[in-house]
Amino acid sequence: MNRKSLLLYVVFLLNCWNIVFCQQKKVTFITPRIKTIDTLFKGELSLRAIVIDNHKLWYATTKSRIGYIDWRTSEKKEFKIPDNTRYEFRSISQTSKAVYFLSIGNPASLFRLDKKDFSIKKVYEEQHPKVFYDCLSFWNQKEGMAVGDPIDNCLSLLITHNGGLNWTKMSCDSLPQMFQDEAVFAASNSTLCSFKSNTWVVTGGSNARVFYSKEKGKNWTVYNTPIAEGTTMKGIFSVAFYDENTGYIVGGDYEKPDQDFSNKAQTTDGGTTWHLKANHSGFGYASCVQYAPKSKGKKLLVVGATGVFYSIDGGNEWEKLLNDTTFYTLRFIDSKTVILAGKNYVFKMTLN
């Protein structure tokens, strides 16, 4: 190999280190912390609702579609709701037997997909001009909750006690009142977080608050936060808890995506008090935050309008991993492997 050929080869290797081409989507590695990125899906869709099921990723999306991707076998299956309604799904959760997914807008429709025979059944419907559900989660195999925007000055909460076969809407008589123009965001299926019997719901708009229940929604306490609030597109867009005490919230001002202050906060007392972190540094508007498993609450990942960011110190400082701003949501497979999903792509990223 002559010197010119050797030089070209070295340049090629350097480019391979810094840039990976994933089915025509260019992903720039700006840190050696990333080991690999694999494209699991490419197509016309907008993904905000994903859930990990062993080696499968279940997703619910636009145009009445739900499906899964098996990253071990590369198998892909997609199903469409067989009626004339054009559903958009931004909420998803699961039990061992079924996947549940919930539409936004009127009518609100909650479906159950059987994991064994892939049959789909509607298990709840609600019609109202203001109806809008944002997030869905299960505490265990029998009990789950969906949260939505207020209709009668309180959170819209659906409860199941039989594994999702039947759902009941909670009365406002047993729920805290919400302020005018306070609502919940449907950015990433992460404005509701459940851990054991604990539940946290986050809001935005006129007020950015945390609604907390330690008894699976039976009683509620509301806490203020220092996250930006006061207009329709400000507030908390995502909440994550590592255990009963350690939690993190992100969001900010959707209309000012580069604004990197009053948009991230941490609690160490279960949500009673929140303290701003990395103010005037790190990322701007963010739509999803998640803790890495088995990290003692130290490692977090965020996606949003300014890229993909990673913290190894509990969210005090943040390192940018990717410049890509098209991801809306994320979920960890294990402590080093994470799924990133958003506009037209699903990636599996492995960290060093």
Side-chain angles (χ1 to χ4, degrees), residues 246-287:
T246 307
Y248 212 89
I249 51 178
V250 300
D253 190 339
Y254 180 84
E255 296 176 324
K256 297 179 181 179
D258 294 327
Q259 188 168 290
D260 60 2
F261 57 90
S262 301
N263 67 323
K264 37 194 164 331
Q266 181 196 53
T267 183
T268 55
D269 56 15
T272 303
T273 57
W274 295 86
H275 304 282
L276 290 175
K277 295 294 179 178
N279 223 25
H280 296 282
S281 66
F283 53 87
Y285 160 76
S287 60

Side-chain angles (χ1 to χ4, degrees), residues 20-227:
V20 174
F21 290 90
C22 297
Q23 293 189 9
Q24 299 179 354
K25 182 178 177 68
K26 187 172 71 173
V27 182
T28 304
F29 287 27
I30 58 176
T31 170
R33 195 179 295 279
I34 297 175
K35 185 177 181 180
T36 61
I37 290 184
D38 300 314
T39 302
L40 298 184
F41 184 92
K42 175 190 175 184
E44 187 179 344
L45 81 174
S46 176
L47 275 185
R48 299 178 183 271
I50 59 174
V51 64
I52 305 295
D53 181 20
N54 294 318
H55 48 87
K56 289 180 180 178
L57 174 76
W58 284 97
Y59 65 87
T61 183
T62 56
K63 299 179 182 178
S64 303
R65 294 173 295 167
I66 181 172
Y68 71 77
I69 303 164
D70 189 320
W71 57 80
R72 285 188 184 175
T73 65
S74 299
E75 179 188 20
K76 299 179 178 67
K77 278 189 178 293
E78 190 168 276
F79 313 91
K80 193 170 183 178
I81 305 302
D83 64 32
N84 294 324
T85 306
R86 198 175 182 87
Y87 297 103
E88 180 177 346
F89 299 111
R90 296 193 185 183
S91 302
I92 192 170
S93 193
Q94 67 176 334
T95 63
S96 60
K97 296 181 178 180
V99 180
Y100 293 86
F101 44 105
L102 178 58
S103 67
I104 61 172
N106 186 25
S109 297
L110 177 55
F111 293 90
R112 179 187 189 273
L113 184 147
D114 190 288
K115 290 183 179 179
K116 185 176 291 187
D117 62 13
F118 301 132
S119 60
I120 299 175
K121 180 182 178 181
K122 185 184 292 187
V123 291
Y124 180 83
E125 182 176 277
E126 181 178 344
Q127 297 189 21
H128 192 282
K130 293 183 179 180
V131 68
F132 196 105
Y133 281 93
D134 306 273
C135 198
L136 180 64
S137 181
F138 275 83
W139 293 286
N140 50 52
Q141 295 298 311
K142 293 292 184 181
E143 299 168 293
M145 173 182 284
V147 61
D149 291 346
I151 292 177
D152 297 316
N153 299 319
C154 73
L155 288 170
S156 293
L157 295 180
L158 304 179
I159 295 285
T160 182
H161 296 288
N162 63 356
L165 297 177
N166 301 100
W167 297 77
T168 303
K169 188 170 184 177
M170 296 183 66
S171 169
C172 274
D173 295 338
S174 60
L175 298 174
Q177 293 290 296
M178 297 183 73
F179 288 100
Q180 185 176 355
D181 297 325
E182 182 181 16
V184 182
F185 292 113
S188 58
N189 194 46
S190 61
T191 46
L192 162 65
C193 181
S194 57
F195 183 86
K196 296 182 178 179
S197 62
N198 300 280
T199 309
W200 298 267
V201 176
V202 294
T203 65
S206 63
N207 294 80
R209 301 192 293 169
V210 174
F211 290 65
Y212 169 67
S213 173
K214 64 179 180 180
E215 300 170 314
K216 299 175 184 175
K218 292 181 180 179
N219 298 291
W220 293 87
T221 306
V222 187
Y223 300 109
N224 294 322
T225 76
I227 299 296

Side-chain angles (χ1 to χ4, degrees), residues 242 246 292-299:
Y242 184 78
T246 307
K294 300 179 181 180
S295 67
K296 299 181 179 180
K298 296 298 184 182
K299 297 179 181 180

